[in-house]
Amino acid sequence: MPATIKDIKERTGLSLATISKYLNGGNVLPENKILIETAIKELHYEVNEIARGLVTKQTKTIGVLVYSIESLFNGTLLKYIGDALRKEGYGLLICDSNQDEETEQKNAKFLINKKVDGIIVVPVLYGSKVVEMANHAGVPIVLMDRSPENCDCDCVRIDNRMSALRATNVLIGKGHRKIAIICSAKEYTGIERCQGYKEAMTLAGFDVPEEYIYGDIHSIEHGYESMKKILALPDRPTAVFMTNYEITLGAVMAVNESELGCPDDISMLGFDDLILSHVTNPAMSMVVQPMKNMSEKAVELLLGKIGSDRKSETPMEIVLPTRLLEGNSIKEIKM
Amino acid sequence: MPATIKDIKERTGLSLATISKYLNGGNVLPENKILIETAIKELHYEVNEIARGLVTKQTKTIGVLVYSIESLFNGTLLKYIGDALRKEGYGLLICDSNQDEETEQKNAKFLINKKVDGIIVVPVLYGSKVVEMANHAGVPIVLMDRSPENCDCDCVRIDNRMSALRATNVLIGKGHRKIAIICSAKEYTGIERCQGYKEAMTLAGFDVPEEYIYGDIHSIEHGYESMKKILALPDRPTAVFMTNYEITLGAVMAVNESELGCPDDISMLGFDDLILSHVTNPAMSMVVQPMKNMSEKAVELLLGKIGSDRKSETPMEIVLPTRLLEGNSIKEIKM
DNA sequence: CTGTTAGCGCTTTCAC
DNA sequence: GTGAAAGCGCTAACAG
């Protein structure tokens, strides 16, 4: 049983209030200060944050909910979020939703009951239920990445549709007309990116046959299986657009296993670099999101909400730009 | 301000004790049960875990310290740890040491003050300081991965030396005699793996010239730079053994950027698969650790310690086997 | 600057 | 089965 403030009270003969004051950076007589400090050292005293939290009603802890901790995308986000939070003196409680909405909700409840001061969520799907829970409990919340427009909640994300549109245009600009897409069709992000692709194709006046669109869950398997199907198509496209990290991974695997080569037989454009583009051979061209900036903005937004108790404001929506990382995975087709 | 047990006391007319009893699964009259349940629903009551923790002295929360959250190795471990913990009704508090021992210690303190019931740590270096802190605070702790032998602490890890020895023997078995190694030289894991490599080479009667050993920090950069140097060597080795995930990544990048090809010009053997072997071209041969098993064993070990208060036992050391994943990155050399 | 007092929200004896 | 009361470790007025 660790030492408590009471132990150091007895050791020093001072009152609880004085000691507490010292602990919280208040002014104490130099002699008492020394008294307290030595007692703390000798007793190995450490503040019980649980007890402190009970009375101050704040835990200096932020909860983060990610849809999958084993996704490098989330790992990277978490690193930057952690860095930003640490700088402000906050700790963070990370919960893995494990790609499951029910787990996500259970975790949200866990965080709320743990009395975190705020929540950042990278949702499994839309996160709407979690937002509702947090609002109900009066806990500030910020959405990242998979946050729909008009979600009535503060959020930071990229312009998914525009990013996909521009990426598709890059392919078109290099002479491709038969372009397939592998995307997630479940959550907002994937749907929007697919929309952007379709718009670009329509604008350019190109067909988008059904068998060029592969929408399913956000997973390596989906990327892998879809790319296999694409490569086996009688009328094979000349380029494929993969709209997230896991799908890109899977697609690369499928091409590697096949007889066909990139970019000679098939051009590829991926999403969410995360070192992948340097590991593949050839180097993959990628749409990259500003991970660090997104994370910092999310933290800033959340901490702002915690500071000033302005509940009933219109939610803030921060939309960040993406950039294109050029590799050697896109073949130029002479027209 | 969320509802408290007091609110539901007033709503139902029952005493705090009865309500508390209900909350903790005790027996209550059916009529009272209904009374309480409706009150809970109407008031949206949720237990305040902070208050509960203060009195029960347990938080049903496990803290996990990882050396870097953006490393896929740790992300994977965390996923399995989380799964195992959830199954037992525990939540987890994840802290990123950010490759820094000081941050690691600060995080350990944070966890201890947050009164986690136990700690799992994948240390930055040896974790000895953290072990000491936890022991002092009376918090059960288990080390993973980078835990030295005789560390006087429960731990689960692979047999690093033997794994590296066997891996090197695979290379030797395929006719390689000039084998270089890129490893981390800072923490236990890397040192042991290098030792295993040296042993295998010595046993086979092969030279290990200085310029074939590249020991530095555990990072992508180190893998990348070292592989570049290796490829430029006048007396280039025929094979390279990369002893962890990040180093393997970096080495693959360097080869991809070079004029040389794998396995024709250079054979490669990596460590810690994590999907990488399927993404590279050719598929990389890899030593793979039993991530899931390691995680589950660590959780089991920790929860066991929490259950029975057997402090003064000899620490348990669980050593798990690795396996070799065969790819196409090793060329057979006819002798 | 210091001490006294009350109380955060909950569990837990111990009578009843 | 239920209630009264004490207390977990700490902070926050408020006097002094």
Side-chain angles (χ1 to χ4, degrees), chain A residues 82-114:
Chain A
D83 282 352
L85 244 25
R86 233 190 315 272
K87 226 175 269 168
E88 304 294 328
Y90 281 84
L92 78 166
L93 235 165
I94 300 171
C95 288
D96 176 15
S97 307
N98 217 352
Q99 301 280 18
D100 176 55
E101 279 203 287
E102 215 174 299
T103 307
E104 183 175 64
Q105 276 151 235
K106 265 168 72 179
N107 281 335
K109 193 168 167 181
F110 174 78
L111 290 177
I112 290 169
N113 293 358
K114 280 274 180 205

Short mmCIF file of all heavy atoms in Angstrom, two decimals, chain A residues 82-114:
data_model
loop_
_atom_site.label_atom_id
_atom_site.label_comp_id
_atom_site.label_asym_id
_atom_site.label_seq_id
_atom_site.Cartn_x
_atom_site.Cartn_y
_atom_site.Cartn_z
N GLY A 82 -0.54 11.58 -29.56
CA GLY A 82 0.15 11.44 -28.28
C GLY A 82 1.18 12.54 -28.06
O GLY A 82 1.25 13.12 -26.98
N ASP A 83 1.94 12.81 -29.08
CA ASP A 83 2.95 13.87 -28.98
C ASP A 83 2.30 15.21 -28.62
O ASP A 83 2.76 15.91 -27.73
CB ASP A 83 3.69 14.01 -30.32
CG ASP A 83 4.73 12.92 -30.52
OD1 ASP A 83 4.96 12.15 -29.56
OD2 ASP A 83 5.30 12.83 -31.61
N ALA A 84 1.25 15.52 -29.34
CA ALA A 84 0.58 16.81 -29.14
C ALA A 84 -0.04 16.89 -27.74
O ALA A 84 0.02 17.92 -27.07
CB ALA A 84 -0.49 17.01 -30.21
N LEU A 85 -0.60 15.80 -27.31
CA LEU A 85 -1.27 15.76 -26.01
C LEU A 85 -0.27 15.88 -24.87
O LEU A 85 -0.49 16.59 -23.89
CB LEU A 85 -2.05 14.45 -25.90
CG LEU A 85 -3.57 14.50 -25.79
CD1 LEU A 85 -4.17 15.74 -26.39
CD2 LEU A 85 -4.18 13.25 -26.36
N ARG A 86 0.81 15.14 -25.01
CA ARG A 86 1.86 15.16 -23.98
C ARG A 86 2.35 16.58 -23.76
O ARG A 86 2.59 17.01 -22.63
CB ARG A 86 3.02 14.28 -24.43
CG ARG A 86 3.44 13.22 -23.42
CD ARG A 86 4.73 12.55 -23.81
NE ARG A 86 4.80 12.18 -25.21
CZ ARG A 86 4.36 11.04 -25.71
NH1 ARG A 86 3.82 10.14 -24.91
NH2 ARG A 86 4.45 10.77 -26.99
N LYS A 87 2.50 17.27 -24.87
CA LYS A 87 2.99 18.65 -24.82
C LYS A 87 2.10 19.53 -23.94
O LYS A 87 2.55 20.48 -23.33
CB LYS A 87 3.06 19.19 -26.26
CG LYS A 87 4.34 19.91 -26.58
CD LYS A 87 4.37 20.30 -28.05
CE LYS A 87 5.02 19.23 -28.92
NZ LYS A 87 4.82 19.45 -30.36
N GLU A 88 0.84 19.19 -23.93
CA GLU A 88 -0.12 19.99 -23.16
C GLU A 88 -0.39 19.39 -21.78
O GLU A 88 -1.33 19.80 -21.10
CB GLU A 88 -1.43 20.12 -23.94
CG GLU A 88 -1.30 20.70 -25.32
CD GLU A 88 -0.85 22.16 -25.30
OE1 GLU A 88 -1.22 22.86 -24.34
OE2 GLU A 88 -0.13 22.59 -26.22
N GLY A 89 0.39 18.40 -21.44
CA GLY A 89 0.22 17.82 -20.11
C GLY A 89 -0.91 16.82 -19.98
O GLY A 89 -1.33 16.51 -18.86
N TYR A 90 -1.38 16.31 -21.09
CA TYR A 90 -2.44 15.31 -21.04
C TYR A 90 -1.90 13.91 -21.31
O TYR A 90 -1.00 13.73 -22.12
CB TYR A 90 -3.52 15.62 -22.07
CG TYR A 90 -4.48 16.70 -21.63
CD1 TYR A 90 -4.17 18.04 -21.82
CD2 TYR A 90 -5.69 16.38 -21.02
CE1 TYR A 90 -5.05 19.05 -21.42
CE2 TYR A 90 -6.57 17.36 -20.62
CZ TYR A 90 -6.24 18.71 -20.82
OH TYR A 90 -7.10 19.68 -20.42
N GLY A 91 -2.48 12.96 -20.64
CA GLY A 91 -2.19 11.58 -20.96
C GLY A 91 -3.27 11.07 -21.89
O GLY A 91 -4.28 11.74 -22.10
N LEU A 92 -3.08 9.91 -22.48
CA LEU A 92 -4.15 9.42 -23.32
C LEU A 92 -4.46 7.95 -23.10
O LEU A 92 -3.61 7.14 -22.81
CB LEU A 92 -3.90 9.70 -24.81
CG LEU A 92 -2.93 8.85 -25.60
CD1 LEU A 92 -3.10 9.11 -27.07
CD2 LEU A 92 -1.52 9.13 -25.17
N LEU A 93 -5.73 7.67 -23.23
CA LEU A 93 -6.25 6.34 -23.05
C LEU A 93 -6.68 5.86 -24.43
O LEU A 93 -7.62 6.40 -25.02
CB LEU A 93 -7.50 6.45 -22.16
CG LEU A 93 -7.58 5.63 -20.90
CD1 LEU A 93 -8.68 6.15 -20.01
CD2 LEU A 93 -7.80 4.19 -21.21
N ILE A 94 -5.97 4.88 -24.95
CA ILE A 94 -6.27 4.43 -26.30
C ILE A 94 -7.14 3.18 -26.26
O ILE A 94 -6.88 2.25 -25.51
CB ILE A 94 -4.96 4.10 -27.05
CG1 ILE A 94 -4.09 5.35 -27.13
CG2 ILE A 94 -5.26 3.54 -28.44
CD1 ILE A 94 -2.70 5.09 -27.66
N CYS A 95 -8.18 3.17 -27.07
CA CYS A 95 -9.03 1.98 -27.16
C CYS A 95 -9.16 1.53 -28.60
O CYS A 95 -9.35 2.34 -29.51
CB CYS A 95 -10.42 2.29 -26.63
SG CYS A 95 -10.47 2.47 -24.86
N ASP A 96 -9.07 0.25 -28.79
CA ASP A 96 -9.15 -0.34 -30.12
C ASP A 96 -10.56 -0.87 -30.36
O ASP A 96 -11.04 -1.74 -29.64
CB ASP A 96 -8.14 -1.50 -30.17
CG ASP A 96 -8.20 -2.25 -31.48
OD1 ASP A 96 -8.79 -1.73 -32.44
OD2 ASP A 96 -7.64 -3.36 -31.53
N SER A 97 -11.22 -0.34 -31.36
CA SER A 97 -12.59 -0.78 -31.63
C SER A 97 -12.61 -2.11 -32.36
O SER A 97 -13.65 -2.73 -32.50
CB SER A 97 -13.34 0.25 -32.46
OG SER A 97 -13.26 1.52 -31.87
N ASN A 98 -11.44 -2.50 -32.86
CA ASN A 98 -11.33 -3.81 -33.48
C ASN A 98 -12.32 -3.98 -34.64
O ASN A 98 -12.91 -5.04 -34.83
CB ASN A 98 -11.56 -4.88 -32.42
CG ASN A 98 -10.69 -6.08 -32.64
OD1 ASN A 98 -10.01 -6.18 -33.67
ND2 ASN A 98 -10.72 -7.00 -31.71
N GLN A 99 -12.52 -2.93 -35.39
CA GLN A 99 -13.40 -2.95 -36.58
C GLN A 99 -14.84 -3.28 -36.24
O GLN A 99 -15.61 -3.74 -37.10
CB GLN A 99 -12.90 -3.98 -37.61
CG GLN A 99 -11.51 -3.73 -38.11
CD GLN A 99 -11.43 -2.66 -39.16
OE1 GLN A 99 -12.34 -1.85 -39.32
NE2 GLN A 99 -10.34 -2.62 -39.89
N ASP A 100 -15.24 -3.06 -35.00
CA ASP A 100 -16.57 -3.48 -34.61
C ASP A 100 -17.30 -2.34 -33.89
O ASP A 100 -16.81 -1.79 -32.90
CB ASP A 100 -16.44 -4.69 -33.69
CG ASP A 100 -17.78 -5.15 -33.15
OD1 ASP A 100 -18.68 -5.40 -33.97
OD2 ASP A 100 -17.92 -5.22 -31.92
N GLU A 101 -18.47 -2.01 -34.39
CA GLU A 101 -19.19 -0.87 -33.83
C GLU A 101 -19.62 -1.10 -32.38
O GLU A 101 -19.69 -0.17 -31.58
CB GLU A 101 -20.43 -0.57 -34.68
CG GLU A 101 -20.10 0.24 -35.90
CD GLU A 101 -21.33 0.98 -36.39
OE1 GLU A 101 -22.22 0.32 -36.93
OE2 GLU A 101 -21.39 2.20 -36.20
N GLU A 102 -19.93 -2.34 -32.06
CA GLU A 102 -20.36 -2.62 -30.71
C GLU A 102 -19.21 -2.41 -29.73
O GLU A 102 -19.38 -1.80 -28.67
CB GLU A 102 -20.85 -4.07 -30.64
CG GLU A 102 -22.00 -4.27 -29.70
CD GLU A 102 -22.53 -5.69 -29.80
OE1 GLU A 102 -22.98 -6.07 -30.90
OE2 GLU A 102 -22.44 -6.41 -28.81
N THR A 103 -18.05 -2.90 -30.12
CA THR A 103 -16.86 -2.69 -29.29
C THR A 103 -16.58 -1.20 -29.16
O THR A 103 -16.21 -0.71 -28.10
CB THR A 103 -15.64 -3.38 -29.92
OG1 THR A 103 -15.95 -4.75 -30.15
CG2 THR A 103 -14.44 -3.30 -29.00
N GLU A 104 -16.80 -0.49 -30.23
CA GLU A 104 -16.58 0.94 -30.22
C GLU A 104 -17.46 1.61 -29.16
O GLU A 104 -16.99 2.44 -28.39
CB GLU A 104 -16.90 1.52 -31.61
CG GLU A 104 -16.63 3.00 -31.75
CD GLU A 104 -16.85 3.46 -33.19
OE1 GLU A 104 -17.99 3.39 -33.69
OE2 GLU A 104 -15.87 3.88 -33.82
N GLN A 105 -18.69 1.20 -29.12
CA GLN A 105 -19.61 1.79 -28.16
C GLN A 105 -19.26 1.40 -26.72
O GLN A 105 -19.33 2.21 -25.81
CB GLN A 105 -21.05 1.40 -28.48
CG GLN A 105 -21.66 2.31 -29.54
CD GLN A 105 -22.72 1.63 -30.37
OE1 GLN A 105 -22.63 1.61 -31.59
NE2 GLN A 105 -23.71 1.06 -29.72
N LYS A 106 -18.87 0.15 -26.58
CA LYS A 106 -18.45 -0.30 -25.24
C LYS A 106 -17.24 0.49 -24.77
O LYS A 106 -17.15 0.90 -23.62
CB LYS A 106 -18.13 -1.80 -25.27
CG LYS A 106 -19.30 -2.66 -24.84
CD LYS A 106 -19.09 -4.13 -25.15
CE LYS A 106 -18.09 -4.83 -24.28
NZ LYS A 106 -17.99 -6.26 -24.65
N ASN A 107 -16.34 0.72 -25.69
CA ASN A 107 -15.15 1.47 -25.34
C ASN A 107 -15.49 2.92 -25.00
O ASN A 107 -14.89 3.51 -24.10
CB ASN A 107 -14.15 1.43 -26.49
CG ASN A 107 -13.38 0.13 -26.52
OD1 ASN A 107 -13.23 -0.54 -25.50
ND2 ASN A 107 -12.89 -0.24 -27.69
N ALA A 108 -16.41 3.48 -25.75
CA ALA A 108 -16.81 4.86 -25.49
C ALA A 108 -17.38 4.96 -24.07
O ALA A 108 -17.07 5.87 -23.32
CB ALA A 108 -17.85 5.30 -26.51
N LYS A 109 -18.17 3.99 -23.72
CA LYS A 109 -18.76 3.96 -22.39
C LYS A 109 -17.66 3.83 -21.34
O LYS A 109 -17.66 4.52 -20.32
CB LYS A 109 -19.71 2.76 -22.29
CG LYS A 109 -20.60 2.79 -21.09
CD LYS A 109 -21.69 1.75 -21.22
CE LYS A 109 -22.41 1.54 -19.90
NZ LYS A 109 -23.46 0.52 -19.99
N PHE A 110 -16.73 2.96 -21.62
CA PHE A 110 -15.58 2.78 -20.74
C PHE A 110 -14.86 4.11 -20.50
O PHE A 110 -14.59 4.49 -19.37
CB PHE A 110 -14.63 1.76 -21.39
CG PHE A 110 -13.32 1.56 -20.69
CD1 PHE A 110 -13.24 0.78 -19.55
CD2 PHE A 110 -12.16 2.14 -21.19
CE1 PHE A 110 -12.02 0.58 -18.91
CE2 PHE A 110 -10.94 1.94 -20.56
CZ PHE A 110 -10.87 1.17 -19.42
N LEU A 111 -14.62 4.82 -21.59
CA LEU A 111 -13.91 6.09 -21.48
C LEU A 111 -14.71 7.12 -20.70
O LEU A 111 -14.19 7.85 -19.86
CB LEU A 111 -13.62 6.64 -22.88
CG LEU A 111 -12.58 5.90 -23.71
CD1 LEU A 111 -12.47 6.51 -25.10
CD2 LEU A 111 -11.24 5.91 -23.02
N ILE A 112 -15.98 7.16 -21.00
CA ILE A 112 -16.85 8.13 -20.32
C ILE A 112 -16.91 7.83 -18.83
O ILE A 112 -16.79 8.73 -18.00
CB ILE A 112 -18.26 8.10 -20.94
CG1 ILE A 112 -18.22 8.68 -22.36
CG2 ILE A 112 -19.25 8.86 -20.07
CD1 ILE A 112 -19.48 8.47 -23.17
N ASN A 113 -17.04 6.58 -18.50
CA ASN A 113 -17.08 6.20 -17.09
C ASN A 113 -15.73 6.43 -16.40
O ASN A 113 -15.68 6.63 -15.19
CB ASN A 113 -17.51 4.75 -16.93
CG ASN A 113 -18.94 4.53 -17.35
OD1 ASN A 113 -19.63 5.49 -17.73
ND2 ASN A 113 -19.40 3.31 -17.31
N LYS A 114 -14.69 6.39 -17.18
CA LYS A 114 -13.35 6.67 -16.64
C LYS A 114 -13.16 8.17 -16.50
O LYS A 114 -12.09 8.63 -16.12
CB LYS A 114 -12.28 6.11 -17.57
CG LYS A 114 -12.05 4.64 -17.41
CD LYS A 114 -11.05 4.36 -16.31
CE LYS A 114 -10.83 2.87 -16.18
NZ LYS A 114 -10.37 2.49 -14.85
#
